[in-house]
Amino acid sequence: MSERDVKRLLASVPVDDDAEERAWELVRSVYAEHEPTVVHRRRQSIVLVAAGAAILAAALSPPGRAVVNAVRRSIGIERATPALFRLPAAGRLLVSGPGGAWVVAADGSKRLLGAYPQASWSPHGLYVVGAQTNELATMEPNGKIHWTLARPQIRFPRWSGTHTDTRIAYLTTSRLHVVGGDGRGDIDAEGLPAAALVAPAWRPSATDLHVLAYVTTRGRVTVLNPDRGNVWWVSDGFSGPRALVWSPNGTRLVLAARDKVVVFDGRTGRARTVHVAGVRAIAFAPDGRLALLRGHGVLLLDGSQVRTLFTAPGLFAGLAWSPDGRWLLTGLPGADQWVFLQTAGAHRVLAVSHIRSQFRGAATLDGWIG
C-alpha cells in the first residue's frame, strides 16, 4: 500500500461528534499510556480512527504493518534518532510501564529495576518506589530491594520528605495510604473521603512537616498533614480531575480538571481558575514554570496566559523537566517516539524512535532527577 493510498484511506474515514473519544479509547488500550486529549476535532478524529485501524491490521498482515509505518510517519517527528543514545542534559530518568521500571543514565545506558509498571523517585533520587498490582517495593537505583509491602490494587506510589524522614503515599482501590520510608507505620486513611484515580502529591519541604494533597472521588482537593491527621483545607468539587502537582517552592498547588486548570494557594486553598480545557498532564520546572499537555500541544502557563511551546500531528503523553530546567521531555505514543524540547537558547527539538522496543513496551515518564 503506497503512502498515497494511506492518505486516501485517511480522507475516507467518516467523522462524527463522538469519533475522537471512541478512537482514543482504542489507541490508549493498545499503547497502555495515560490518556492525552483532543484539540482539532476533524483532523484528530481522522488520524486516530485510521491509527486504531492500522494497529489492528498490523497484527494480521505485512500490508497492515506498512499502514502502521505510514501512520507513524504522519504523526511523528522527522529525522528522529533510532535509539536513545544519550539524554540532552545531565541527570537520570525514571520510566515505567508493562515492561517494568527502568533507570536511564545521562549516557543513555538503561537498567531494569524489576517488573513494576508504576514507579517514582525518592525525594533526593537515592531510592525508587515501585508498585505491582498487590505489592509496594522500595529499592536502590541499581535494583537492590530494601523492603516490600503487600496491599491490594496499589496505584500511584509517591515518595517525599527529607534525607532522614520520608513518607510514601499510595492508593489501594479508592483508599489513601501513607507509610514511612522504612516500610513501617502504614496508615489507612479510612476516615477520609475516597480518593479519585489521580496521583497524590506531596508538598516540597525542607522540614519534617509532611503535607499531602489528594483528590476525592467528588473532585475535591484535600490538603492534610497525615502524621497529625489534621486537614488543612478542602476545595470545591471539580469535574474530571486528571493531575495534581505542587510548585517547587510549595506555595502553589495546581489541579488539571476536564475544562480548566485550577491554581490554589497552598496554605489557604484560595483558588484561581485558568480556562484551558482538555489538559491531561502538568509539570513544574525547577524555576517554577508550569508546562501543560493538551492533545497535540505542549503549553506553558504564565500567570493566566497560556502560550504554545510545541505542537505535532500526534497526541502527546507524559511530561518531565530536566534537572536544569532547560529541556522538557514528552512522548508521542502513536509514533513510538520521545520528544525533547529545549525551552531556552536555540529551542531545539530532538526526537527518539523505537521507545517500546527499548523499554519492552509503553514507557511512562516518572521523573528526571539530578
Side-chain angles (χ1 to χ4, degrees), residues 16-363:
D16 60 62
D17 291 339
D18 299 321
E20 72 245 20
E21 289 298 328
R22 295 196 304 273
W24 177 236
E25 287 299 322
L26 174 61
V27 173
R28 183 180 64 173
S29 66
V30 173
Y31 282 102
E33 285 285 347
H34 298 302
E35 0 168 47
T37 190
V38 299
V39 179
H40 304 297
R41 182 175 298 271
R42 178 176 178 81
R43 182 181 183 183
Q44 181 187 327
S45 301
I46 294 172
V47 170
L48 286 181
V49 171
I55 291 165
L56 296 178
L60 302 177
S61 66
R65 286 193 291 273
V67 174
V68 170
N69 291 335
V71 171
R72 285 179 174 175
R73 285 195 299 272
S74 73
I75 65 178
I77 306 300
E78 295 182 356
R79 294 182 294 276
T81 60
L84 183 62
F85 298 127
R86 63 185 302 273
L87 300 177
R92 296 163 295 156
L93 184 65
L94 180 66
V95 302
S96 62
W102 300 74
V103 171
V104 183
D107 65 1
S109 60
K110 309 170 188 67
R111 179 182 292 273
L112 177 62
L113 303 184
Y116 302 102
Q118 297 186 57
S120 69
W121 287 111
S122 70
H124 306 285
L126 301 178
Y127 305 100
V128 171
V129 57
Q132 300 182 41
T133 302
N134 299 317
E135 181 183 88
L136 190 74
T138 62
M139 66 205 77
E140 297 179 17
N142 62 9
K144 180 182 177 181
I145 298 292
H146 277 220
W147 56 263
T148 65
L149 182 67
R151 293 291 184 270
Q153 298 297 316
I154 292 175
R155 296 182 177 92
F156 308 123
R158 295 295 184 269
W159 203 335
S160 185
T162 66
H163 279 284
T164 58
D165 187 15
T166 64
R167 302 287 185 275
I168 297 171
Y170 63 97
L171 304 184
T172 60
T173 58
S174 62
R175 299 285 285 277
L176 177 69
H177 287 248
V178 177
V179 63
D182 58 2
R184 301 176 181 177
D186 184 54
I187 300 171
D188 182 342
E190 58 184 353
L192 294 174
L197 291 179
V198 176
W202 290 102
R203 187 187 71 174
S205 176
T207 71
D208 292 337
L209 180 62
H210 303 286
V211 178
L212 178 66
Y214 83 102
V215 185
T216 72
T217 52
R218 294 182 177 271
R220 297 178 182 270
V221 175
T222 301
V223 176
L224 67 148
N225 179 321
D227 294 340
R228 300 176 183 174
N230 60 325
V231 175
W232 283 20
W233 53 265
V234 178
S235 76
D236 293 334
F238 296 94
S239 61
R242 287 152 182 189
L244 188 67
V245 64
W246 287 92
S247 62
N249 61 10
T251 60
R252 291 174 290 162
L253 178 64
V254 179
L255 171 72
R258 178 177 294 120
D259 58 354
K260 60 177 68 72
V261 170
V262 187
V263 182
F264 299 97
D265 181 291
R267 181 160 291 277
T268 66
R270 183 176 179 180
R272 176 172 60 86
T273 298
V274 180
H275 292 283
V276 51
V279 172
R280 298 285 179 170
I282 49 181
F284 272 104
D287 63 5
R289 287 173 295 162
L290 181 61
L292 314 175
L293 201 66
R294 185 179 69 172
H296 301 274
V298 180
L299 316 174
L300 290 178
L301 176 61
D302 181 11
S304 58
Q305 300 299 311
V306 178
R307 67 181 180 89
T308 300
L309 178 65
F310 185 76
T311 61
L315 293 170
F316 289 111
L319 286 172
W321 286 92
S322 64
D324 62 8
R326 296 177 60 85
W327 291 87
L328 182 60
L329 169 61
T330 186
L332 275 170
D336 196 18
Q337 291 181 344
W338 278 354
V339 183
F340 294 89
L341 307 173
Q342 190 177 27
T343 62
H347 297 285
R348 290 183 295 161
V349 177
L350 305 177
V352 177
S353 292
H354 305 110
I355 295 302
R356 293 174 62 84
S357 63
Q358 295 176 77
F359 295 101
R360 303 180 185 176

